[in-house]
Amino acid sequence: MILGIETSCDETAAAVVYGGKILSSVVRSQVDLFREFGGIVPEISSRRHLELIQVMVEQALSRAGVDLKEIKGVAATKKPGLIGSLLVGYSYAKALAYGLDVPLVGVDHLHAHVYSAEIGRKFEFPLLGIVVSGGHSAAYMVEGLKFKTVARTRDDAAGEALDKVAKKLGLGYPGGPVIERMAREGNPHAYDFSVVRLKDGSLDFSYSGLKSQAIRIIEREMPQGKRLRDFLASFQRAVVDQIIDRMESLVKIYRPSSVAITGGVSINQHLRDRARAFARKAGVKLYLPEKKYCGDNAAMVGYLGEKLLEAGFREDLFSTPFPRTEASKGVKQFR
Ligand code: KG4
Ligand code: ZN
C-alpha cells in the first residue's frame, strides 16, 4: 500500500494505491478561498494545507479501509509548484516515512499528470504526454519512467490564460469551468483568434499573446450577452487550437504510438472532442484521464510513486522540494 500526497497548488489531496489500483482518493479544493482574489494567494494556500493535510490523510486511509501500519511507502509531490504549499505536503511525507520507517519517493507533479491517463489502463509506448494545467503547458516523449521534455511553457500556461481572461471579465476563479459553460451557447468562429506559432520555430506553448489580444477586445468592447458567449467560445476554441496544433506537429516529428492529454484543462469537452478527432485521423491511440483525475489529485501521485518505488527510486529524508522543473517557463535546466 502506497500513500500519495499532493499539495503543490490549491488542492490538498491524499490517496491510497495498491498494485496500480486506486483504493481511495480524497481532494479538498481551496478555490472558494480564492474566488474573491481572482487567483491563488500562496501564503493563504500553504496555511490551509497545514490545517487540512492530517485530516485528508486520515480520510484517505479510512476510505480505503487501510491501517497506517499497512503503508509500505510514501509518495509526495516534490516539484513544481508553490514552494510554501509543496513544503507542507513534502515535509509531512518525510516525517511520516521516517516515523513508519518506509521509503519516501518525490514525484514530479507534471509527470504524475501524464500518468493520470494510465489509471485503469496500460500505456502503449513511445507516448507523447501533454500536460495542460493552470501553471504549466508541457509535452514529453515518455518511455516507461523516462521523460524527455519536447515542449514547455514559454510564458502563460493554457489554464492561466483562461483564468486571466475570466478574471478580467469578473467571472471569478478558476476561469476554465465558467468559460466552458458559457461557451456552449456561443459561436466559436465569431472572433478571429489565430493559432500562435513561435517565430523561432520552437513548439513551446505560448499563451500571453492570445491572452493580451483577448484582454484588448474586452477593454475595447466589453462584450455582453450573446456577444460575450461568442467571445468566450472563440477564445476557448483558440486555446484548444494551439494544443491541437502542437500535438499535430509533435506527432509528426516524434511518431509516438499513443498520446495522452492531461492536466486541469483536459477536462474540457471541446478539447476532448477535438483531440479524439485528431487521434482518429492520425491513427494514434489517445488516452484522456477520467474526469476525476484531470485536476490536481493524489491518486496520480501515488500511482506514479508506486512505479518509481518499484523501480528502486528513493528520496533522501534531507531532500527539499523545489518550485520549478525543466518544463517550467523560461528554465532550461533545473538540477
Ligand atoms: O491541473 P490543475 O488542477 O492545477 C494545476 O496544476 O495548475 O489545473 C487547473 C487549471 C485552471 O487553470 C482551470 O481554469 C483549468 O485547469 N480548468 C479548465 C476547466 N476546469 C478547470 N479549463 C478548461 N475547461 C474546464 N472545464
Ligand atoms: Zn496540476
Side-chain angles (χ1 to χ4, degrees):
M1 306 277 175
I2 304 300
L3 179 71
I5 291 178
E6 157 63 40
T7 63
S8 68
C9 195
D10 59 350
E11 267 88 25
T12 319
V16 178
V17 180
Y18 178 69
K21 300 241 168 354
I22 311 303
L23 302 190
S24 66
S25 170
V26 292
V27 182
R28 187 78 67 87
S29 173
Q30 306 177 351
V31 289
D32 287 342
L33 287 177
F34 301 125
R35 207 155 270 139
E36 61 178 303
F37 298 102
I40 301 162
V41 183
E43 182 59 23
I44 298 179
S45 175
S46 18
R47 283 165 196 258
R48 190 74 181 131
H49 283 305
L50 206 50
E51 288 165 7
L52 287 173
I53 184 73
Q54 177 73 18
V55 182
M56 299 311 284
V57 168
E58 280 170 7
Q59 255 185 33
L61 290 168
S62 82
R63 291 211 185 158
V66 167
D67 194 86
L68 193 53
K69 286 197 289 289
E70 296 173 77
I71 295 297
K72 298 294 177 240
V74 183
T77 302
K78 189 178 182 188
K79 62 184 176 161
L82 301 168
I83 190 62
S85 296
L86 282 166
L87 266 168
V88 174
Y90 197 72
S91 308
Y92 183 95
K94 282 201 291 188
L96 190 62
Y98 179 71
L100 293 174
D101 195 21
V102 299
L104 168 76
V105 70
V107 174
D108 182 309
H109 179 81
L110 301 175
H111 296 179
H113 268 304
V114 169
Y115 263 94
S116 71
E118 202 202 31
I119 296 175
R121 296 171 271 197
K122 209 84 227 115
F123 273 162
E124 269 175 36
F125 298 109
L127 170 101
L128 171 67
I130 297 178
V131 185
V132 274
S133 73
H136 294 85
S137 327
Y140 302 92
M141 278 308 295
V142 187
E143 189 69 62
L145 296 174
K146 284 207 190 76
F147 284 75
K148 177 176 179 245
T149 308
V150 292
R152 60 171 74 99
T153 317
R154 206 36 100 77
D155 36 59
D156 288 356
E160 192 177 358
L162 292 164
D163 294 340
K164 286 183 177 165
V165 164
K167 180 179 180 182
K168 185 76 188 174
L169 286 163
L171 298 175
Y173 170 83
V178 53
I179 291 181
E180 172 162 26
R181 210 164 43 245
M182 295 183 73
R184 260 181 226 137
E185 292 138 42
N187 168 9
H189 300 287
Y191 285 80
D192 179 29
F193 294 108
S194 46
V195 176
V196 178
R197 295 207 179 84
L198 294 169
K199 287 199 182 68
D200 60 9
S202 139
L203 292 173
D204 283 349
F205 294 88
S206 170
Y207 280 102
S208 78
L210 182 62
K211 175 198 68 185
S212 305
Q213 196 187 345
I215 286 178
R216 275 197 303 277
I217 294 173
I218 298 169
E219 283 170 350
R220 204 172 54 230
E221 58 176 280
M222 217 20 169
Q224 307 281 343
K226 172 76 172 83
R227 197 77 187 138
L228 176 59
R229 288 169 204 279
D230 287 348
F231 171 76
L232 292 175
S234 304
F235 181 64
Q236 173 183 264
R237 190 255 315 144
V239 168
V240 170
D241 277 348
Q242 185 177 143
I243 301 166
I244 303 294
D245 174 76
R246 299 303 193 265
M247 177 163 75
E248 258 184 86
S249 303
L250 291 165
V251 164
K252 256 191 216 129
I253 297 171
Y254 294 99
R255 307 231 154 261
S257 310
S258 60
V259 180
I261 302 188
T262 65
V265 180
S266 73
I267 200 169
N268 186 280
Q269 200 55 49
H270 180 61
L271 171 58
R272 293 172 90 94
D273 293 343
R274 298 266 307 274
R276 281 204 189 97
F278 166 75
R280 220 174 295 124
K281 194 178 82 191
V284 288
K285 202 170 159 72
L286 178 72
Y287 302 94
L288 295 167
E290 275 181 63
K291 292 197 170 175
K292 63 183 169 198
Y293 300 135
C294 288
D296 288 347
N297 66 85
M300 64 184 191
V301 176
Y303 183 85
L304 177 56
E306 185 181 46
K307 287 181 186 291
L308 291 166
L309 284 166
E310 275 168 6
F313 287 89
R314 296 287 182 275
E315 207 68 65
D316 184 329
L317 291 180
F318 290 97
S319 61
T320 50
F322 37 96
R324 287 170 174 259
T325 61
E326 80 286 354
S328 297
K329 34 181 140 173
V331 182
K332 284 236 155 51
Q333 202 60 52
F334 195 87
R335 289 220 220 175

